[in-house]
Amino acid sequence: MFDRDWEWSELTAFAADPGPEATLGVVSGRRRQGKSFLLDSLARAAGGFYFCAYEATEAESLRRFGEELGQYTGAAGALRFDRWEQGVDALLALGRERPVPVVIDEFPYLARATPSLPSIVQVAYGPRRPERLESRTRLLLCGSSLAFMGGLLSGTSPLRGRASLELIVQPLDFRQAAAFWGIDDPRLALLVHSVVGGTPAYRREFVRDDVPDGIDDFDAWVCRTALSPRSPLYREARYLLADEADLRDRALYHSVFGALAAGNATAGGIAGCLGRTAGDITHPLTVLQDCGLVRREVDAFRRNRSVYRIGEPLIAFDHVISRTKLPLLDRGLAEPVWESSRARFRSAVVGPHFEQICREWVTHFAAPETFGGMPIDVSYGTVADPGARTGHEVDVVVRGAVGQDNGVLLSLGEAKWDQVMGEGHLDRLRHIAALLAARGTDTSAVRLACYSGAGFTDELRKAEARGEVVLVDLRRLYAGE
């Protein structure tokens, strides 16, 4: 197990809860994040029962469930259940003597075959039902469909209000991912993260511990992994949507990804790219957000304006680099495809990803002293420049708490992956701060910041020494505050 201490502590606390009644928990997260490993380890460590479902009819699932539960209890043969009501009560019976963790993994498969299953669990966990009151079963429902699992406890769902644990197993953050891949060079670490993100399984199961041997090996590594038809990583981005059973028109969702990869970040821009109205793509965007594959970011200065970005690096890589060149890649022509795509990779994949990493650094790793307050809301923003009849994009806008004041504008920042930043970048930020001040925004606490993957000029370093700018390079992103 790697760096899942918090998740493990939450699960073990839930499993060992000494309370007198049966409890329910929901665990979710995209595929290949280590959920099943965690839950199977929990069941083994605490002497609990683990059942992993797969796509099957209700009758077959009940038969398998009875067989495995019979083996767990030491019964003379398989237990037989005609209905899930009987199966759930059998799970509650496991906890009559002590707290027992019980895991049903891939719960959406069971619910797809038996749509009433969430209601069956709801009835079984009725507040005054004797079977629940006399049990200390710690039931954990787990699944990889974020849309389905998120809906289990929301709105009018039967299980709303029944669960005492809701745990989402997230991908590793960019620092954890670098440690997991064993990469010390921050530039190489960010390039690899731009391709595979923080999904642990991509290193072990998908590329079989093939880690780039230094920055000079990165191009060859991409060709032998993400662009090689022999590698499972090659098709993974196309399979991620298949985990979401509720996505009917997958061609439409891939087209939305294609529009986003082409630089269309607004709902109107995406709709125009697809030849549809903005109303037509509202539902697909909402579904993709629920799945965790697209994120919506609200403009820090124009709250009625938002942009959409692909939330999974491998999907962005696939749509920017691989998807339009599949006939060539299928023929094993990874090297010429990559040679012609490297510039686009830097601009359309690494550049936006670097900006997001900078925002994540501010949110999770920057010390309060860095920006003179505790960062709370970190996003992008656009500032109108009436005099020049243009607008300025701000890559990193930080609002936070200073003393008792919340929502204070703490920082305006610009991020450049492949440019050495200098006085010109600082002057642009000064101009933006002046525009905001002219329209009445309080900029008294603002600290200007430059984030660069290529470094800074001596003049900008001197400005940092004078306290005029905060400079964040790759070393600081990966190891500093």
Side-chain angles (χ1 to χ4, degrees), residues 38-92:
L38 278 168
L39 294 171
D40 184 46
S41 299
L42 176 72
R44 291 173 184 270
F49 174 61
Y50 175 88
F51 175 72
C52 185
Y54 54 67
E55 289 187 284
T57 64
E58 180 181 47
E60 183 181 356
S61 294
L62 281 168
R63 179 184 59 76
R64 282 190 57 242
F65 175 77
E67 290 174 352
E68 296 191 22
L69 186 57
Q71 293 173 2
Y72 172 76
T73 59
L79 303 178
R80 178 172 177 175
F81 303 106
D82 298 319
R83 297 175 293 114
W84 274 111
E85 288 88 343
Q86 300 167 333
V88 175
D89 278 347
L91 295 179
L92 290 176

Side-chain angles (χ1 to χ4, degrees), residues 244-260:
E244 302 293 340
D246 295 334
L247 303 189
R248 305 299 181 189
D249 187 359
R250 291 197 173 90
L252 172 60
Y253 292 98
H254 278 296
S255 294
V256 171
F257 284 138
L260 288 166

Side-chain angles (χ1 to χ4, degrees), residues 139-375:
L139 179 60
L140 289 159
L141 307 178
C142 178
S144 300
S145 172
L146 291 184
F148 177 88
M149 298 302 293
L152 275 182
L153 304 178
S154 63
T156 59
S157 170
L159 293 178
R160 179 173 173 79
R162 291 285 194 265
S164 58
L165 173 71
E166 184 177 8
L167 178 67
I168 301 177
V169 180
Q170 301 282 5
L172 303 175
D173 65 46
F174 68 96
R175 286 188 174 183
Q176 293 170 330
F180 183 74
W181 281 77
I183 300 175
D184 297 325
D185 181 344
R187 186 172 185 82
L188 177 60
L190 196 138
L191 287 171
V192 170
H193 196 270
S194 297
V195 178
V196 296
T199 298
Y202 291 163
R203 175 183 176 178
R204 297 281 161 79
E205 289 88 346
F206 280 65
V207 303
R208 300 181 62 81
D209 287 326
D210 182 355
V211 180
D213 185 21
I215 196 73
D216 293 336
D217 186 41
F218 176 74
D219 291 344
W221 176 82
V222 171
C223 292
R224 65 180 181 259
T225 55
L227 297 182
S228 171
R230 296 186 298 275
S231 170
L233 202 61
Y234 177 67
R235 296 175 180 83
E236 172 68 2
R238 282 155 269 170
Y239 292 157
L240 286 174
L241 283 180
D243 292 334
E244 302 293 340
D246 295 334
L247 303 189
R248 305 299 181 189
D249 187 359
R250 291 197 173 90
L252 172 60
Y253 292 98
H254 278 296
S255 294
V256 171
F257 284 138
L260 288 166
N264 301 283
T266 65
I270 297 167
C273 183
L274 302 185
R276 304 200 178 198
T277 66
D280 291 338
I281 54 94
T282 299
H283 177 69
L285 284 172
T286 300
V287 172
L288 289 173
Q289 289 177 75
D290 292 341
C291 297
L293 299 177
V294 164
R295 65 178 182 272
R296 175 174 174 264
E297 298 179 3
V298 178
D299 191 308
F301 304 114
R302 300 165 61 186
R303 306 304 291 183
N304 62 340
R305 184 181 186 273
S306 58
V307 297
Y308 298 88
R309 308 184 198 275
I310 297 175
E312 169 54 51
L314 190 61
I315 290 179
F317 179 88
D318 182 70
H319 279 269
V320 172
I321 305 299
S322 307
R323 196 169 180 82
T324 59
K325 303 292 181 63
L326 288 179
L328 297 175
L329 293 171
D330 286 340
R331 288 160 49 197
L333 300 177
E335 286 78 8
V337 167
W338 180 242
E339 184 66 27
S340 65
S341 304
R342 278 188 298 181
R344 181 158 170 73
F345 171 71
R346 290 193 296 269
S347 62
V349 176
V350 186
H353 190 68
F354 177 68
E355 294 172 9
Q356 178 59 25
I357 290 296
C358 292
R359 290 189 284 267
E360 291 180 11
W361 177 81
V362 174
T363 302
H364 300 293
F365 301 108
E369 305 80 51
T370 300
F371 298 108
M374 178 64 68

